[in-house]
Amino acid sequence: MRTTAITSLLLVATLTGGFMACKSDNPASATSGPVSFVFDNVVGNQDLKLATGVYQNGAGESFTPTAFNYFVSNITLTRADGSQYVVPQDSSYFLIKEDVPATQRITLRNVPFGDYKAMSFVLGVDSLRSTMDISRRTGVLDPAGDHTSASGMYWSWNSGYIFLKLEGTSPSAPVNATGNRNFRYHIGFFGGYSTRTINNLKTIRIPFGSDVATIAPGRVPVVTLQADVLKVFDGVKRMSINANSEIMVSLLSADVANNYAQMMTYKRITTATN
Amino acid sequence: MHRWKLIGLLASAGLFACVVSCQPNESGGVGPVKPDPSQPVEYKPTPFPWKKPANFPEPIYKFSNNPLTVEGVALGRALFYDDALSANGTVSCAFCHQQSAAFGHTDHALSHGINDKIGTRNVPAVQNAAFYSSFFWDGGVVDLDLLPINPIENPVEMGHNMPALLNALRKGNRYRPLFQAAFGSDSITSARFLKAMSQFMLTMVSANSRYDKYVRKEAGGELTPGELSGLTLFKQKCAGCHAGELFTDQRFRNNGLSRDLNKDEGRSLVTLRPEDKYMFRVPSLRNVDRTPPYMHDGRFWTLDQVLDHYTTNLQDVPELDPLLRQNQTGKPGISLTVTEKQQIIAFLRTLTDTEYISDRRLGPPTF
């Protein structure tokens, strides 16, 4: 009886110790920590305001965005010495939605301590994941999840994710069947499953300039990136809402993808404590 | 001594458990479903005995990702026949996929959805889905697990959206026990919904036509001399595209249909490749006698019209499949006499699988 009591005590002590060791912010034992990224969506030098902001694109067309969403995936961080940390793929899918502010700040956990000078990511969902078993596509990749998921960012009839969606109204858009002047850019296409199709996946590299994101005990770098909606129209090749108010499953999507590949810029690093 | 060994062992096990519980959840919710301790543990699904017909090729569907169970199939069946899958609760999958028509929609040239909306293409028969590498006339979906989202969300078909549909199923009391029985917990997720739909559709195997029994040398497999002549002609003249035991090579081809009234560009709409313009998937001919009307837009109502198309009415379009340019005469199409046409049609009728279209296990659920 007494031995049983001792055994139980020992077990409780061991278990408690084990669970305490789980605390990730234990400075004595941790070798990795979190880093956050803020995606600040802008239109030129103005903040993006859905449904109310009025902006002008390079073609001189006035427009008001009503939706701006994009996938960020397959993040890699580059250390000051040039070596890289590849975020485990299962933890590396994010959907940024302008109408869901919480999605505009993402946090990677368990990133090895160190100084990082650059990052890269895929704007979209890579072909492997795009064709993966549905049980491996949860969270933001769930075509049938909640308002933070791929619902509305997925083509059911031509299986694949919409990498970037920009919708809005514009006096330059022709009147559509609903009597409104809308424009809609839904850009996808991962290269095809059995038949080779166009591939609009873009890998975007973001150097932090002379700044360094230091991930260290008690220090959580917050890297702010800016995504400029104007670049969707004017990054490389000027697009006109009047000429093309709807670009979805079309070869023109390649031009829009080349444009938005230019839309991300590094803004600043701040440091939070944890 | 023995006692201390035991304590050591227990302590090690405890530590191991801690280490395991320390693993970061890399997958952000992809991990295994946590059992709900408040639910009684009664998860004992019965494996569903799925068997490949002896004369069929190997299935393409990855069964290892979705092992069939009696409970999973029952759930899929309940969903397949439920009007609640459409936005206004009027159209189930079975509305367009009727068993008597081998799960096609006879008497409808084009798909018919909620509020009497009409689609742009003919309803494909659901059969032998396990053996297909892509779905729909344009092959836009390559994974059976993703197929149901298409009709459910198509505004002119079921007009629903998946998140709202799943939320409605979660709120009702019908499905929680069915998900519990099929998957071990009553959590209703996209993956489970879709896998259950697949499970039921995978049981839709049509392989017991008189032709099948003839090929497998089984009782009831007698073909008449006319049907046998039709089979021989079919192999010579049609099997280039309607190949193998599925009666389709699953490729995308142009068969010279007139585009005067319908300019549907077919597969190129999903691939954006100019060479895929006006191409459509070669349909299976299994149960063809039960699945009129024919072609991607249901323009032909009888098999006679279909054969007249290939012999006489075919249009010499640039995209025409090379196999339809092999006539000695130089005229594109297939040369057949009136008698030969009738023999081919007689053979095609031997592909009707009456067991399939009357199998009660595929009919509406009785619970």
Side-chain angles (χ1 to χ4, degrees):
Chain A
M1 190 60 197
R2 198 161 158 234
T3 326
T4 316
I6 293 173
T7 313
S8 309
L9 258 169
L10 268 170
L11 254 177
V12 168
T14 314
L15 282 168
T16 311
F19 281 120
M20 279 174 74
C22 277
K23 288 185 75 179
S24 59
D25 55 352
N26 183 341
S29 62
T31 56
S32 64
V35 53
S36 292
F37 298 92
V38 173
F39 290 84
D40 180 19
N41 296 326
V42 300
V43 189
N45 53 12
Q46 303 172 69
D47 190 31
L48 170 60
K49 293 205 184 311
L50 291 182
T52 56
V54 181
Y55 312 96
Q56 207 168 58
N57 66 15
E61 299 167 323
S62 165
F63 69 96
T64 297
T66 52
F68 187 52
N69 311 327
Y70 49 88
F71 277 102
V72 167
S73 71
N74 293 275
I75 301 172
T76 295
L77 300 175
T78 304
R79 296 185 184 88
D81 67 2
S83 65
Q84 292 192 320
Y85 172 68
V86 180
V87 177
Q89 220 214 10
D90 276 353
S91 315
S92 207
Y93 291 91
F94 301 92
L95 175 58
I96 317 298
K97 299 182 90 168
E98 176 63 17
D99 64 339
V100 187
T103 65
Q104 293 156 29
R105 183 188 178 111
I106 66 177
T107 299
L108 303 176
R109 303 192 185 281
N110 306 311
V111 179
F113 288 152
D115 296 333
Y116 295 88
K117 64 171 184 182
M119 71 183 300
S120 75
F121 55 87
V122 170
L123 208 148
V125 178
D126 56 283
S127 57
L128 191 65
R129 188 67 63 160
S130 290
T131 55
M132 208 174 264
D133 189 87
I134 186 67
S135 62
R136 302 284 306 279
R137 297 199 248 155
T138 53
V140 299
L141 295 174
D142 186 347
D146 65 12
H147 65 293
T148 63
S149 79
S151 171
M153 292 294 281
Y154 180 79
W155 287 320
S156 61
W157 54 278
N158 189 12
S159 299
Y161 292 95
I162 295 170
F163 304 154
L164 178 140
K165 177 190 266 192
L166 173 64
E167 293 184 349
T169 59
S170 169
S172 299
V175 177
N176 66 13
T178 62
N180 296 304
R181 294 182 186 275
N182 295 341
F183 71 93
R184 300 191 295 173
Y185 292 178
H186 297 182
I187 312 302
F189 271 102
F190 58 83
Y193 182 74
S194 50
T195 299
R196 195 159 192 81
T197 66
I198 59 171
N199 185 336
N200 286 330
L201 287 163
K202 298 293 172 193
T203 299
I204 296 182
R205 289 176 180 82
I206 307 280
F208 304 154
S210 54
D211 297 345
V212 171
T214 301
I215 307 175
R219 286 168 63 92
V220 182
V222 180
V223 181
T224 299
L225 308 177
Q226 250 180 15
D228 183 357
V229 172
L230 281 188
K231 289 284 200 276
V232 179
F233 296 107
D234 301 303
V236 179
K237 185 177 178 181
R238 178 162 293 175
M239 307 303 293
S240 149
I241 294 171
N242 182 253
N244 298 106
S245 60
E246 301 248 333
I247 302 178
M248 296 183 186
V249 180
S250 130
L251 293 174
L252 280 175
S253 66
D255 291 329
V256 181
N258 286 335
N259 279 351
Y260 68 59
Q262 310 291 321
M263 78 176 180
M264 291 281 180
T265 47
Y266 165 75
K267 201 66 191 168
R268 74 184 83 86
I269 295 173
T270 55
T271 303
T273 51
N274 69 343
Chain B
M1 194 61 195
H2 175 77
R3 199 168 284 144
W4 285 109
K5 263 190 189 165
L6 181 71
I7 293 166
L9 200 71
L10 278 168
S12 309
L15 272 172
F16 179 71
C18 292
V19 170
V20 169
S21 70
C22 276
Q23 301 290 316
N25 187 5
E26 302 275 36
S27 44
V30 180
V33 176
K34 290 187 186 112
D36 180 353
S38 65
Q39 293 286 338
V41 180
E42 282 178 23
Y43 179 52
K44 280 185 191 160
T46 313
F48 185 98
W50 191 92
K51 206 163 171 285
K52 179 184 87 67
N55 53 322
F56 273 36
E58 287 304 314
I60 286 170
Y61 188 80
K62 294 190 190 92
F63 283 92
S64 57
N65 285 345
N66 187 17
L68 264 56
T69 63
V70 171
E71 293 80 2
V73 170
L75 169 58
R77 183 181 175 192
L79 293 166
F80 189 88
Y81 281 95
D82 195 337
D83 291 337
L85 266 60
S86 62
N88 61 4
T90 57
V91 170
S92 66
C93 306
F95 180 89
C96 282
H97 298 285
Q98 300 178 344
Q99 188 175 11
S100 59
F103 295 99
H105 203 187
T106 189
D107 291 341
H108 285 73
L110 300 170
S111 63
H112 180 184
I114 59 167
N115 301 322
D116 287 336
K117 287 179 178 162
I118 302 298
T120 59
R121 294 186 186 151
N122 183 250
V123 173
V126 183
Q127 51 184 349
N128 303 324
F131 302 92
Y132 283 85
S133 54
S134 71
F135 302 91
F136 300 106
W137 285 103
D138 54 20
V141 175
V142 297
D143 180 349
L144 181 66
D145 291 348
L146 302 174
L147 185 152
I149 311 177
N150 188 359
I152 289 170
E153 295 202 333
N154 189 324
V156 299
E157 293 182 22
M158 299 164 96
H160 216 326
N161 75 72
M162 287 293 294
L165 166 58
L166 293 182
N167 277 335
L169 298 184
R170 285 176 193 124
K171 282 186 190 129
N173 50 17
R174 180 180 183 198
Y175 282 101
R176 287 197 171 273
L178 297 179
F179 276 80
Q180 169 87 36
F183 297 109
S185 87
D186 66 358
S187 160
I188 297 179
T189 66
S190 325
R192 288 175 168 193
F193 172 93
L194 293 166
K195 298 263 181 189
M197 294 288 307
S198 288
Q199 289 202 22
F200 179 56
M201 287 190 282
L202 289 163
T203 70
M204 295 177 164
V205 178
S206 176
N208 285 323
S209 68
R210 198 146 51 83
Y211 162 80
D212 290 297
K213 290 173 184 172
Y214 165 79
V215 173
R216 297 194 299 250
K217 301 183 170 57
E218 293 170 1
E222 290 76 34
L223 299 190
T224 67
E227 290 162 352
L228 284 169
S229 303
L231 171 58
T232 305
L233 283 164
F234 181 87
K235 293 231 156 129
Q236 290 167 356
K237 311 252 181 181
C238 314
C241 304
H242 296 285
E245 292 301 86
L246 295 173
F247 292 86
T248 167
D249 63 358
Q250 304 196 39
R251 292 181 66 182
F252 301 87
R253 298 172 182 271
N254 179 286
N255 65 345
L257 292 172
S258 164
R259 297 203 282 266
D260 289 348
L261 298 175
N262 186 339
K263 295 175 171 51
D264 189 338
E265 293 183 3
R267 180 149 174 83
S268 68
L269 298 176
V270 303
T271 65
L272 301 179
R273 302 193 321 164
E275 61 266 43
D276 292 333
K277 228 172 168 182
Y278 307 115
M279 303 286 177
F280 293 89
R281 204 164 64 126
V282 175
S284 172
L285 299 180
R286 289 189 162 272
N287 294 301
V288 68
D289 187 46
R290 299 300 182 106
T291 62
Y294 306 109
M295 306 296 151
H296 66 270
D297 54 6
R299 67 176 68 188
F300 299 139
W301 289 82
T302 65
L303 291 172
D304 292 279
Q305 283 176 309
V306 172
L307 285 174
D308 287 347
H309 165 73
Y310 285 113
T311 55
T312 332
N313 301 329
L314 182 140
Q315 306 289 302
D316 190 357
V317 292
E319 301 79 14
L320 186 69
D321 196 273
L323 288 179
L324 290 167
R325 291 189 189 281
Q326 293 184 329
N327 259 345
Q328 304 288 337
T329 60
K331 183 180 177 297
I334 302 172
S335 296
L336 292 170
T337 66
V338 173
T339 309
E340 286 173 332
K341 281 193 222 178
Q342 290 317 308
Q343 287 170 334
I344 286 179
I345 290 173
F347 163 69
L348 291 176
R349 291 193 169 124
T350 72
L351 295 174
T352 300
D353 181 353
T354 51
E355 289 174 35
Y356 184 63
I357 60 184
S358 61
D359 185 342
R360 290 194 178 180
R361 291 168 298 184
L362 302 178
T366 47
F367 49 89

